[in-house]
Amino acid sequence: MISCISGCRQPSASRRGLEMPCILLQEEKTCDILIGENSIKKSTMTVETKPSNDDDSNQEAEPSQFLDDEAKKNLPVKKKTSCCTGLKAFLAALSFSYFSKALSGTIMKSSITQIERRFDLTSSTVGFIDGSFEMGNLLVIAFVSYFGAKLHRPKVIAVGCFTMALGSLLTAMPHFFMGYYKYETAPHTASSANLTSSINPCSLHQDVNKTKMLEISQSGCLHTIAMLGPMFGFLLGSLCAKLYVDIGFVDLGSITITPQDSRWVGAWWLGFLIGGVASFIAAIPFCFLPKSLKKPEEANNDRTSYSLLGNMGSTRNKVAPAKPKPKKWSVILKDFCTSLKKVLSNRMYFTFLCCSVLQFSSFIGFLTYKPKYMEQQYGQSTSKSNFLIGLTSLPPVGIGIFLGGLIMKKYKMSIIGATKFAFTMSFLAYVTSLLHFFVGCENHVVAGMTVSYEGKPIPYNENAIFSECNSDCKCASKAWDPVCGDNGLTYVSACLAGCTTSVGHGKNTVFHNCSCLEASSSWTGNNSATLGQCPKSKDCSMKFIYYTVIQVISGFCYALGGTPAYMIMFRCVQPELKSLAVGLYTLIMRILGGIPAPVYFGALIDKTCLKWGSTSCGQRGACRLYDSNAYRYVYLGLSAVLRGPSYLIAIIFFILIKKHFQNKNSTPIENGGREECLMNKEDYCKVKARLPGSSDAENESCI
C-alpha cells in the first residue's frame, strides 16, 4: 500500500481492492511508500504538470528510476506457481477420479459371473445387483448437476470419491463374513484323498435327490483417460478370476475344479478392495484444491500487481462485482423446476434422450453379460473372457473416441454435419454387430442333455440323463460334477457315465471302466473319463477369432461417432441449461437403462438354462449349463431389437436439427458448442463477468 503523509490525493474508488498510487501536485510532497512490511525511505520529488523540454523530462525521470530500483530491491519475491497447484493439478486429480470410478464400475461387470456362482443366484437376480450399483447416483445426481456450481466443487468431488470407496469396500465384505465356498460335487471326491485308493463311483449308494457339497478344510482427457479404467478393470477382473475365491485359506491341492469349470469362483472380492483403495486415493487431492481456479489472465494480473510502482501509470478498468444476495430455497427450487421444464420441453433434446435410452440399454445389457456369453458360447474361462475384453474390445473404443474428436476439429464440422457423421458411424456399427449371429458355436455335447448316450442330438428332457448303461448305479439326478469321456462326450457325473473305478487325487482323478462310453457306437477306444467338461471343437475356436474381429470393428465404429453425438447434446439446449441437461441425461440413462437392462437381459438368459445347480439346502442354485443356440439368439437378439428402433428416432432427430439450423450459420462445434454465445465468446464472457447482477449459472455457461 502507499501511505501519503501530506498533500497526496488518493482516489476514492479502487479496483479489486487495490489502492491506487497517489496523484502528486506541483508542489513538493513527501510520501512514505509501504510494500508489504518493507518501506522505502522518504524521498522528495517534483512533478510538473507540463514538461518544458526533453532535458527536463530526463532529469525528472531520474528520481522515478531511483524509486523503481529501490522498490525492486525491497519487493518481496513471488515464487513461481507450481503446476501442481493449478489447473494441471485439477485435471490430473479429475482424470484419476474418472479412472477410479470406471475401475470400480467395471470390476462389478467383470465379477458378475463369480458373484452369481458364489451365492447361487440367478442371472436376473445378479443383474439387479449390478443395476443397484447405479442406484446411489439417482438420489443426488440431478441436484448435484444443478447446485454443483454454487458449492465447493472439489470438496463435493472428494465426498463422492470417499463414498464410492466406502461402497466398494462394503461390497467385498460378504466374503469375509461368510464361510468357505462349498461347490457341489459327487461323493467320490471326498474319498479320493489317498492317491493309492481305487473307488467305484457307480457302486456308491447316493440319494438321488441329494447332492454333496464339498467343504474344503483350512490349510493354515478425460473420456479417453476414463477408458483406461474399464480396460484395467477387466484386466484386474481377469487376474482375480484366476485366483481361487478362498486363496490363502484352503489347500488348493484338494480343489477338484479348474477355472474352465462352471462351478469355479475366483477371488471376486479382491477387485473391490483394490477399487475402494483407488477411489480413496483419488479423493485426497480434492480436499486441498481451492473452490475456483483463476484464469491465466487473472493470474498474470495478480503477479504484476506486486509491482505497484511499475503500474503507476495504468489502472484497471473493471468494476468490482457486487456480492449476490443469497436466495431462499423456495426460489431456488422454483428456478430448478422452471429450468427442468425448459429442458424437457425442448423437442430436439427430448428426441435425443429417447434415442439414447434405447442405445444405452442395449449397450449395458450387452456389456453386463458379455463375459458369460463368451464362456457359454465359446468355452472360454471367466479369466480369459475378461482379459480379452480388456485387451481387444476397450482399446479400440478409446481410440475411436479420441479420433472422433480429432476429426470434428480437423474438418470443423457443423452441427448438421456432426449429426450425419454420428448417425452413419453408429448405424455402420449396428450392421457390423449383426454378423455375430453367424459366428456362434453349437451346444456343449452333454450325454442325456443335448445329445443321447449314443451321441445323437435330442431335445432337452431332464429324465434323459438316465440310461440303460447307468441303470445299475444309484446316481443323484441333481448332481453336477461333469467328466469328459475319451469319446469326446461330457457326462453329468462319473456315476452317470457308468464308471466303476477311479485313481488319482484332486484335479488329476481319472475314472475307468465307464460303461456308458461303450454305448457310443462309433467309439472303440478306452472307456475312461477325466474331471471337467470336454473342450469345444477347433471350428468353434476359429469362430471365436471371427467374433473378436467383428467386436473390435463394431466397437471402433460406434465410438468414432460417440464424441460428435455427445457434443450435439450441448447444442440442443441454451448455454445456461447445459449443466442441467447433462445431469438429467445421466439420470435418465441410469433409471431407464443402467438399472433395468441387466435385470430383463438376465431374466431372458435364465430361460435358456438346461442344468441348474443346487444349494446346500437343496434349493435351486446358479445355472451350470445353457443352451448355447438359445442363449445366442436371446442375448444378441434383444440387443439388436433395442438398437433398431433408435435409428428411426435418430432420423426424426436429424429432421429437427436440420429444420432448426438450416436458416442459421452452422458454426463448427469442435469445442462442444461453446460458440453458441450471442456474441464473440471472449467479449461476451468479459461483459458477463463485469455485470454485478449476473448469476453464477450465466457466468458458468461461458466457462
Side-chain angles (χ1 to χ4, degrees):
M1 59 178 288
I2 302 178
S3 175
C4 297
I5 298 179
S6 63
C8 293
R9 182 160 52 88
Q10 184 81 15
S12 58
S14 60
R15 303 290 192 262
R16 294 182 179 265
L18 295 175
E19 298 186 6
M20 303 305 297
C22 298
I23 301 177
L24 302 179
L25 303 180
Q26 288 183 342
E27 53 183 326
E28 291 185 355
K29 304 298 176 185
T30 303
C31 296
D32 190 13
I33 304 175
L34 301 177
I35 303 177
E37 296 180 354
N38 303 311
S39 63
I40 300 178
K41 298 297 182 179
K42 294 180 181 180
S43 57
T44 304
M45 59 182 174
T46 303
V47 180
E48 296 288 338
T49 56
K50 294 181 181 180
S52 56
N53 50 46
D54 293 342
D55 294 338
D56 295 338
S57 299
N58 293 335
Q59 291 176 359
E60 291 172 1
E62 292 179 359
S64 299
Q65 184 65 36
F66 171 77
L67 284 175
D68 289 341
D69 294 340
E70 289 295 326
K72 290 178 181 178
K73 292 179 182 179
N74 297 284
L75 196 64
V77 180
K78 183 179 180 181
K79 296 181 179 179
K80 290 184 178 180
T81 304
S82 173
C83 64
C84 296
T85 58
L87 182 61
K88 291 183 179 179
F90 177 76
L91 289 177
L94 190 63
S95 298
F96 187 73
S97 69
Y98 265 64
F99 172 84
S100 62
K101 174 184 178 296
L103 178 69
S104 300
T106 310
I107 287 173
M108 172 61 76
K109 300 291 184 187
S110 64
S111 303
I112 191 169
T113 305
Q114 314 292 317
I115 296 173
E116 177 183 349
R117 296 172 181 172
R118 177 63 181 88
F119 301 102
D120 286 310
L121 304 173
T122 62
S123 295
S124 58
T125 302
V126 79
F128 178 78
I129 294 174
D130 179 72
S132 66
F133 195 75
E134 305 285 351
M135 289 183 181
N137 298 282
L138 304 182
L139 302 176
V140 295
I141 189 169
F143 291 97
V144 169
S145 299
Y146 185 75
F147 299 113
K150 307 176 186 300
L151 303 175
H152 196 297
R153 277 179 275 189
K155 290 186 177 179
V156 171
I157 298 175
V159 172
C161 291
F162 281 128
T163 305
M164 190 165 56
L166 179 62
S168 296
L169 296 177
L170 289 177
T171 305
M173 286 300 103
H175 170 75
F176 300 98
F177 294 120
M178 298 185 67
Y180 297 142
Y181 174 50
K182 304 173 185 179
Y183 56 88
E184 57 181 324
T185 183
H188 66 81
T189 358
S191 303
S192 61
N194 187 354
L195 293 177
T196 61
S197 66
S198 178
I199 65 170
N200 184 354
C202 179
S203 65
L204 292 175
H205 295 285
Q206 304 176 28
D207 188 344
V208 296
N209 294 320
K210 194 172 183 179
T211 304
K212 179 177 177 63
M213 307 301 295
L214 181 64
E215 181 174 1
I216 307 299
S217 60
Q218 186 173 357
S219 62
C221 44
L222 290 176
H223 288 286
T224 305
I225 293 294
M227 285 305 301
L228 295 176
M231 185 177 71
F232 279 97
F234 277 107
L235 293 178
L236 179 60
S238 172
L239 175 62
C240 294
K242 282 185 179 180
L243 307 175
Y244 187 66
V245 61
D246 294 319
I247 185 172
F249 298 95
V250 298
D251 180 12
L252 298 181
S254 61
I255 304 298
T256 60
I257 56 177
T258 63
Q260 284 75 27
D261 198 292
S262 61
R263 295 165 293 171
W264 175 270
V265 176
W268 60 272
W269 51 272
L270 184 60
F272 287 101
L273 293 182
I274 296 175
V277 172
S279 298
F280 182 86
I281 295 175
I284 296 177
F286 292 102
C287 297
F288 303 97
L289 289 174
K291 183 176 181 180
S292 60
L293 298 174
K294 295 180 180 179
K295 296 180 181 178
E297 294 82 2
E298 293 181 359
N300 291 333
N301 290 336
D302 288 344
R303 282 196 291 269
T304 56
S305 65
Y306 276 88
S307 180
L308 292 177
L309 292 177
N311 293 313
M312 290 180 68
S314 63
T315 60
R316 293 191 178 188
N317 298 320
K318 292 183 180 179
V319 180
K323 247 187 177 179
K325 295 182 179 179
K327 295 182 179 180
K328 295 182 180 180
W329 279 102
S330 58
V331 178
I332 294 176
L333 289 176
K334 185 178 179 181
D335 292 343
F336 174 76
C337 294
T338 303
S339 300
L340 186 63
K341 184 179 179 181
K342 286 182 180 179
V343 171
L344 293 178
S345 60
N346 187 320
R347 291 188 299 169
M348 291 184 294
Y349 178 80
F350 185 79
T351 307
F352 180 82
L353 206 60
C354 294
C355 179
S356 299
V357 165
L358 294 176
Q359 293 268 348
F360 191 73
S361 299
S362 173
F363 172 76
I364 289 297
F366 187 86
L367 181 63
T368 300
Y369 295 101
K370 187 176 181 180
K372 179 191 280 279
Y373 177 76
M374 295 169 68
E375 294 173 45
Q376 295 296 327
Q377 191 69 210
Y378 302 102
Q380 305 296 324
S381 66
T382 304
S383 175
K384 188 175 181 180
S385 299
N386 287 328
F387 178 80
L388 291 175
I389 291 174
L391 200 63
T392 63
S393 297
L394 296 178
V397 173
I399 295 173
I401 291 175
F402 175 76
L403 290 180
L406 198 64
I407 291 173
M408 288 180 62
K409 185 175 183 180
K410 180 177 179 61
Y411 294 100
K412 302 185 183 301
M413 289 185 183
S414 65
I415 185 170
I416 297 178
T419 305
K420 290 180 181 178
F421 180 75
F423 177 85
T424 303
M425 290 296 103
S426 180
F427 188 74
L428 179 62
Y430 175 68
V431 173
T432 305
S433 66
L434 295 179
L435 297 176
H436 284 144
F437 284 99
F438 306 100
V439 292
C441 295
E442 296 300 322
N443 280 322
H444 281 280
V445 184
V446 182
M449 300 191 73
T450 60
V451 296
S452 66
Y453 279 84
E454 289 77 24
K456 299 178 181 179
I458 58 171
Y460 173 70
N461 186 349
E462 186 176 359
N463 295 327
I465 62 174
F466 297 104
S467 177
E468 291 183 3
C469 63
N470 55 33
S471 59
D472 295 334
C473 303
K474 302 293 184 180
C475 303
S477 61
K478 293 185 178 180
W480 177 257
D481 193 11
V483 294
C484 178
D486 289 341
N487 60 352
L489 291 182
T490 298
Y491 298 87
V492 175
S493 66
C495 179
L496 290 171
C499 302
T500 57
T501 60
S502 68
V503 294
H505 170 63
K507 301 182 183 70
N508 300 318
T509 303
V510 180
F511 302 92
H512 298 288
N513 300 326
C514 302
S515 59
C516 288
L517 271 71
E518 298 176 357
S520 179
S521 58
S522 61
W523 181 249
T524 58
N526 295 329
N527 297 328
S528 302
T530 56
L531 283 173
Q533 292 179 245
C534 295
K536 294 262 187 174
S537 63
K538 292 183 179 179
D539 180 61
C540 184
S541 300
M542 184 59 63
K543 288 183 177 179
F544 179 65
I545 296 177
Y546 296 150
Y547 165 83
T548 304
V549 173
I550 293 172
Q551 189 62 38
V552 168
I553 297 174
S554 175
F556 175 77
C557 293
Y558 187 81
L560 201 61
T563 301
Y566 190 77
M567 293 303 176
I568 290 169
M569 179 177 61
F570 289 95
R571 294 295 303 273
C572 294
V573 296
Q574 296 90 335
E576 64 272 12
L577 298 177
K578 287 180 182 178
S579 179
L580 179 60
V582 173
L584 185 63
Y585 175 86
T586 308
L587 178 68
I588 297 298
M589 292 304 106
R590 286 174 174 170
I591 291 179
L592 301 181
I595 295 176
V599 177
Y600 56 74
F601 263 82
L604 289 178
I605 289 173
D606 285 336
K607 299 292 184 181
T608 67
C609 182
L610 295 179
K611 179 63 177 177
W612 291 96
S614 58
T615 65
S616 57
C617 303
Q619 302 296 322
R620 191 177 78 172
C623 185
R624 304 302 185 194
L625 181 68
Y626 290 90
D627 184 337
S628 297
N629 292 324
Y631 193 133
R632 179 171 71 255
Y633 292 125
V634 165
Y635 173 72
L636 298 177
L638 182 56
S639 178
V641 167
L642 287 172
R643 286 181 67 181
S646 69
Y647 294 105
L648 299 178
I649 301 176
I651 294 175
I652 299 175
F653 174 75
F654 176 73
I655 294 173
L656 293 174
I657 286 287
K658 190 174 182 180
K659 182 179 179 181
H660 183 77
F661 288 95
Q662 64 183 355
N663 295 327
K664 298 182 180 180
N665 292 327
S666 297
T667 52
I669 64 168
E670 65 269 14
N671 293 324
R674 296 182 181 179
E675 73 288 340
E676 197 168 347
C677 291
L678 298 179
M679 59 181 71
N680 177 273
K681 168 73 182 193
E682 184 177 357
D683 297 338
Y684 174 73
C685 296
K686 285 182 178 180
V687 171
K688 273 290 182 184
R690 294 171 188 166
L691 296 178
S694 297
S695 63
D696 292 339
E698 290 174 332
N699 293 333
E700 182 68 18
S701 67
C702 287
I703 296 178

mmCIF file of all heavy atoms in Angstrom, residues 288-315:
data_model
loop_
_atom_site.group_PDB
_atom_site.id
_atom_site.type_symbol
_atom_site.label_atom_id
_atom_site.label_comp_id
_atom_site.label_asym_id
_atom_site.label_seq_id
_atom_site.Cartn_x
_atom_site.Cartn_y
_atom_site.Cartn_z
ATOM 1 N N PHE A 288 -7.623 -30.469 -0.972
ATOM 2 C CA PHE A 288 -6.678 -29.361 -0.844
ATOM 3 C C PHE A 288 -6.761 -28.374 -2.005
ATOM 4 O O PHE A 288 -5.963 -27.438 -2.067
ATOM 5 C CB PHE A 288 -5.252 -29.913 -0.751
ATOM 6 C CG PHE A 288 -5.045 -30.877 0.377
ATOM 7 C CD1 PHE A 288 -5.106 -32.240 0.157
ATOM 8 C CD2 PHE A 288 -4.832 -30.425 1.670
ATOM 9 C CE1 PHE A 288 -4.934 -33.139 1.197
ATOM 10 C CE2 PHE A 288 -4.658 -31.310 2.708
ATOM 11 C CZ PHE A 288 -4.707 -32.673 2.483
ATOM 12 N N LEU A 289 -7.706 -28.570 -2.901
ATOM 13 C CA LEU A 289 -7.856 -27.644 -4.022
ATOM 14 C C LEU A 289 -8.785 -26.501 -3.655
ATOM 15 O O LEU A 289 -9.715 -26.682 -2.859
ATOM 16 C CB LEU A 289 -8.407 -28.383 -5.243
ATOM 17 C CG LEU A 289 -7.446 -29.358 -5.927
ATOM 18 C CD1 LEU A 289 -8.162 -30.132 -7.019
ATOM 19 C CD2 LEU A 289 -6.253 -28.626 -6.518
ATOM 20 N N PRO A 290 -8.563 -25.311 -4.212
ATOM 21 C CA PRO A 290 -9.438 -24.165 -3.908
ATOM 22 C C PRO A 290 -10.807 -24.328 -4.542
ATOM 23 O O PRO A 290 -11.016 -25.185 -5.405
ATOM 24 C CB PRO A 290 -8.678 -22.979 -4.515
ATOM 25 C CG PRO A 290 -7.870 -23.583 -5.622
ATOM 26 C CD PRO A 290 -7.474 -24.944 -5.142
ATOM 27 N N LYS A 291 -11.725 -23.485 -4.133
ATOM 28 C CA LYS A 291 -13.091 -23.556 -4.650
ATOM 29 C C LYS A 291 -13.138 -23.263 -6.131
ATOM 30 O O LYS A 291 -13.905 -23.874 -6.876
ATOM 31 C CB LYS A 291 -13.989 -22.569 -3.899
ATOM 32 C CG LYS A 291 -15.453 -22.635 -4.321
ATOM 33 C CD LYS A 291 -16.320 -21.715 -3.496
ATOM 34 C CE LYS A 291 -17.779 -21.817 -3.922
ATOM 35 N NZ LYS A 291 -18.660 -20.929 -3.129
ATOM 36 N N SER A 292 -12.317 -22.328 -6.595
ATOM 37 C CA SER A 292 -12.269 -21.994 -8.014
ATOM 38 C C SER A 292 -10.839 -21.694 -8.406
ATOM 39 O O SER A 292 -10.031 -21.272 -7.577
ATOM 40 C CB SER A 292 -13.172 -20.789 -8.318
ATOM 41 O OG SER A 292 -12.740 -19.659 -7.585
ATOM 42 N N LEU A 293 -10.528 -21.931 -9.657
ATOM 43 C CA LEU A 293 -9.197 -21.680 -10.184
ATOM 44 C C LEU A 293 -9.193 -20.385 -10.977
ATOM 45 O O LEU A 293 -10.135 -20.080 -11.701
ATOM 46 C CB LEU A 293 -8.762 -22.834 -11.088
ATOM 47 C CG LEU A 293 -8.639 -24.205 -10.413
ATOM 48 C CD1 LEU A 293 -8.349 -25.266 -11.456
ATOM 49 C CD2 LEU A 293 -7.539 -24.184 -9.368
ATOM 50 N N LYS A 294 -8.113 -19.618 -10.816
ATOM 51 C CA LYS A 294 -8.004 -18.356 -11.540
ATOM 52 C C LYS A 294 -7.660 -18.615 -12.992
ATOM 53 O O LYS A 294 -6.930 -19.536 -13.319
ATOM 54 C CB LYS A 294 -6.920 -17.477 -10.910
ATOM 55 C CG LYS A 294 -7.244 -17.033 -9.495
ATOM 56 C CD LYS A 294 -6.133 -16.174 -8.938
ATOM 57 C CE LYS A 294 -6.445 -15.710 -7.520
ATOM 58 N NZ LYS A 294 -5.365 -14.886 -6.948
ATOM 59 N N LYS A 295 -8.218 -17.788 -13.853
ATOM 60 C CA LYS A 295 -7.876 -17.876 -15.263
ATOM 61 C C LYS A 295 -6.452 -17.375 -15.460
ATOM 62 O O LYS A 295 -5.943 -16.597 -14.657
ATOM 63 C CB LYS A 295 -8.844 -17.035 -16.098
ATOM 64 C CG LYS A 295 -10.280 -17.544 -16.031
ATOM 65 C CD LYS A 295 -11.189 -16.681 -16.879
ATOM 66 C CE LYS A 295 -12.629 -17.158 -16.793
ATOM 67 N NZ LYS A 295 -13.537 -16.311 -17.573
ATOM 68 N N PRO A 296 -5.782 -17.804 -16.515
ATOM 69 C CA PRO A 296 -4.400 -17.352 -16.744
ATOM 70 C C PRO A 296 -4.270 -15.844 -16.788
ATOM 71 O O PRO A 296 -3.298 -15.290 -16.297
ATOM 72 C CB PRO A 296 -4.060 -17.984 -18.102
ATOM 73 C CG PRO A 296 -4.959 -19.163 -18.210
ATOM 74 C CD PRO A 296 -6.218 -18.783 -17.504
ATOM 75 N N GLU A 297 -5.251 -15.136 -17.361
ATOM 76 C CA GLU A 297 -5.164 -13.682 -17.432
ATOM 77 C C GLU A 297 -5.202 -13.067 -16.043
ATOM 78 O O GLU A 297 -4.452 -12.155 -15.727
ATOM 79 C CB GLU A 297 -6.318 -13.124 -18.269
ATOM 80 C CG GLU A 297 -6.275 -13.505 -19.732
ATOM 81 C CD GLU A 297 -6.845 -14.890 -19.969
ATOM 82 O OE1 GLU A 297 -7.302 -15.507 -18.974
ATOM 83 O OE2 GLU A 297 -6.808 -15.357 -21.116
ATOM 84 N N GLU A 298 -6.068 -13.616 -15.184
ATOM 85 C CA GLU A 298 -6.167 -13.082 -13.831
ATOM 86 C C GLU A 298 -4.915 -13.369 -13.039
ATOM 87 O O GLU A 298 -4.465 -12.564 -12.246
ATOM 88 C CB GLU A 298 -7.387 -13.678 -13.136
ATOM 89 C CG GLU A 298 -8.702 -13.243 -13.746
ATOM 90 C CD GLU A 298 -9.872 -13.846 -12.993
ATOM 91 O OE1 GLU A 298 -9.611 -14.605 -12.035
ATOM 92 O OE2 GLU A 298 -11.012 -13.558 -13.359
ATOM 93 N N ALA A 299 -4.325 -14.544 -13.270
ATOM 94 C CA ALA A 299 -3.106 -14.890 -12.545
ATOM 95 C C ALA A 299 -1.973 -13.955 -12.927
ATOM 96 O O ALA A 299 -1.194 -13.522 -12.078
ATOM 97 C CB ALA A 299 -2.727 -16.344 -12.841
ATOM 98 N N ASN A 300 -1.876 -13.612 -14.205
ATOM 99 C CA ASN A 300 -0.839 -12.689 -14.661
ATOM 100 C C ASN A 300 -1.050 -11.312 -14.065
ATOM 101 O O ASN A 300 -0.099 -10.637 -13.669
ATOM 102 C CB ASN A 300 -0.841 -12.605 -16.188
ATOM 103 C CG ASN A 300 -0.370 -13.895 -16.833
ATOM 104 O OD1 ASN A 300 0.395 -14.644 -16.216
ATOM 105 N ND2 ASN A 300 -0.822 -14.159 -18.049
ATOM 106 N N ASN A 301 -2.291 -10.858 -13.993
ATOM 107 C CA ASN A 301 -2.587 -9.556 -13.406
ATOM 108 C C ASN A 301 -2.228 -9.528 -11.935
ATOM 109 O O ASN A 301 -1.735 -8.535 -11.411
ATOM 110 C CB ASN A 301 -4.067 -9.217 -13.591
ATOM 111 C CG ASN A 301 -4.396 -8.922 -15.043
ATOM 112 O OD1 ASN A 301 -3.527 -8.547 -15.810
ATOM 113 N ND2 ASN A 301 -5.664 -9.100 -15.410
ATOM 114 N N ASP A 302 -2.475 -10.635 -11.230
ATOM 115 C CA ASP A 302 -2.129 -10.692 -9.810
ATOM 116 C C ASP A 302 -0.622 -10.645 -9.613
ATOM 117 O O ASP A 302 -0.129 -10.049 -8.665
ATOM 118 C CB ASP A 302 -2.697 -11.969 -9.186
ATOM 119 C CG ASP A 302 -4.205 -11.889 -9.056
ATOM 120 O OD1 ASP A 302 -4.730 -10.765 -9.150
ATOM 121 O OD2 ASP A 302 -4.837 -12.950 -8.863
ATOM 122 N N ARG A 303 0.133 -11.276 -10.514
ATOM 123 C CA ARG A 303 1.583 -11.250 -10.368
ATOM 124 C C ARG A 303 2.132 -9.840 -10.613
ATOM 125 O O ARG A 303 3.052 -9.383 -9.936
ATOM 126 C CB ARG A 303 2.214 -12.246 -11.343
ATOM 127 C CG ARG A 303 2.126 -13.686 -10.883
ATOM 128 C CD ARG A 303 3.084 -14.557 -11.656
ATOM 129 N NE ARG A 303 2.689 -14.703 -13.049
ATOM 130 C CZ ARG A 303 1.919 -15.679 -13.488
ATOM 131 N NH1 ARG A 303 1.472 -16.591 -12.656
ATOM 132 N NH2 ARG A 303 1.601 -15.752 -14.763
ATOM 133 N N THR A 304 1.553 -9.150 -11.588
ATOM 134 C CA THR A 304 2.047 -7.808 -11.877
ATOM 135 C C THR A 304 1.587 -6.798 -10.835
ATOM 136 O O THR A 304 2.163 -5.723 -10.717
ATOM 137 C CB THR A 304 1.559 -7.355 -13.252
ATOM 138 O OG1 THR A 304 0.130 -7.434 -13.284
ATOM 139 C CG2 THR A 304 2.118 -8.255 -14.352
ATOM 140 N N SER A 305 0.560 -7.123 -10.060
ATOM 141 C CA SER A 305 0.063 -6.176 -9.064
ATOM 142 C C SER A 305 1.044 -5.979 -7.920
ATOM 143 O O SER A 305 0.939 -5.013 -7.173
ATOM 144 C CB SER A 305 -1.280 -6.661 -8.506
ATOM 145 O OG SER A 305 -1.097 -7.874 -7.800
ATOM 146 N N TYR A 306 2.016 -6.898 -7.779
ATOM 147 C CA TYR A 306 3.010 -6.724 -6.730
ATOM 148 C C TYR A 306 3.908 -5.538 -7.030
ATOM 149 O O TYR A 306 4.422 -4.889 -6.144
ATOM 150 C CB TYR A 306 3.868 -7.998 -6.605
ATOM 151 C CG TYR A 306 3.240 -9.048 -5.736
ATOM 152 C CD1 TYR A 306 2.363 -9.971 -6.278
ATOM 153 C CD2 TYR A 306 3.519 -9.111 -4.378
ATOM 154 C CE1 TYR A 306 1.773 -10.939 -5.494
ATOM 155 C CE2 TYR A 306 2.938 -10.084 -3.587
ATOM 156 C CZ TYR A 306 2.075 -10.992 -4.138
ATOM 157 O OH TYR A 306 1.502 -11.951 -3.359
ATOM 158 N N SER A 307 4.139 -5.278 -8.309
ATOM 159 C CA SER A 307 4.990 -4.154 -8.688
ATOM 160 C C SER A 307 4.113 -2.939 -8.928
ATOM 161 O O SER A 307 3.778 -2.586 -10.048
ATOM 162 C CB SER A 307 5.784 -4.508 -9.954
ATOM 163 O OG SER A 307 6.606 -3.445 -10.327
ATOM 164 N N LEU A 308 3.729 -2.285 -7.842
ATOM 165 C CA LEU A 308 2.827 -1.145 -7.939
ATOM 166 C C LEU A 308 3.491 0.032 -8.626
ATOM 167 O O LEU A 308 2.852 0.785 -9.354
ATOM 168 C CB LEU A 308 2.367 -0.732 -6.545
ATOM 169 C CG LEU A 308 1.455 -1.746 -5.830
ATOM 170 C CD1 LEU A 308 1.146 -1.243 -4.442
ATOM 171 C CD2 LEU A 308 0.182 -1.948 -6.620
ATOM 172 N N LEU A 309 4.795 0.191 -8.375
ATOM 173 C CA LEU A 309 5.478 1.336 -8.955
ATOM 174 C C LEU A 309 5.576 1.194 -10.467
ATOM 175 O O LEU A 309 5.570 2.186 -11.191
ATOM 176 C CB LEU A 309 6.883 1.454 -8.353
ATOM 177 C CG LEU A 309 6.905 1.830 -6.874
ATOM 178 C CD1 LEU A 309 8.343 1.839 -6.380
ATOM 179 C CD2 LEU A 309 6.276 3.187 -6.661
ATOM 180 N N GLY A 310 5.649 -0.036 -10.946
ATOM 181 C CA GLY A 310 5.734 -0.258 -12.376
ATOM 182 C C GLY A 310 4.402 -0.033 -13.068
ATOM 183 O O GLY A 310 4.348 0.080 -14.284
ATOM 184 N N ASN A 311 3.323 -0.003 -12.302
ATOM 185 C CA ASN A 311 1.999 0.159 -12.881
ATOM 186 C C ASN A 311 1.339 1.453 -12.429
ATOM 187 O O ASN A 311 0.119 1.559 -12.406
ATOM 188 C CB ASN A 311 1.105 -1.018 -12.477
ATOM 189 C CG ASN A 311 1.563 -2.312 -13.101
ATOM 190 O OD1 ASN A 311 1.831 -2.351 -14.288
ATOM 191 N ND2 ASN A 311 1.685 -3.341 -12.295
ATOM 192 N N MET A 312 2.165 2.426 -12.035
ATOM 193 C CA MET A 312 1.587 3.669 -11.516
ATOM 194 C C MET A 312 0.820 4.411 -12.597
ATOM 195 O O MET A 312 -0.105 5.156 -12.313
ATOM 196 C CB MET A 312 2.700 4.563 -10.950
ATOM 197 C CG MET A 312 3.305 4.000 -9.663
ATOM 198 S SD MET A 312 4.611 5.044 -9.006
ATOM 199 C CE MET A 312 3.680 6.460 -8.516
ATOM 200 N N GLY A 313 1.193 4.204 -13.875
ATOM 201 C CA GLY A 313 0.514 4.931 -14.931
ATOM 202 C C GLY A 313 -0.678 4.200 -15.525
ATOM 203 O O GLY A 313 -1.288 4.700 -16.446
ATOM 204 N N SER A 314 -0.946 2.973 -15.005
ATOM 205 C CA SER A 314 -2.057 2.187 -15.562
ATOM 206 C C SER A 314 -3.071 1.881 -14.484
ATOM 207 O O SER A 314 -2.732 1.775 -13.315
ATOM 208 C CB SER A 314 -1.531 0.881 -16.160
ATOM 209 O OG SER A 314 -0.952 0.104 -15.153
ATOM 210 N N THR A 315 -4.277 1.738 -14.866
ATOM 211 C CA THR A 315 -5.361 1.421 -13.922
ATOM 212 C C THR A 315 -6.187 0.301 -14.499
ATOM 213 O O THR A 315 -6.194 0.068 -15.711
ATOM 214 C CB THR A 315 -6.271 2.645 -13.690
ATOM 215 O OG1 THR A 315 -6.822 3.031 -14.939
ATOM 216 C CG2 THR A 315 -5.507 3.795 -13.066
#
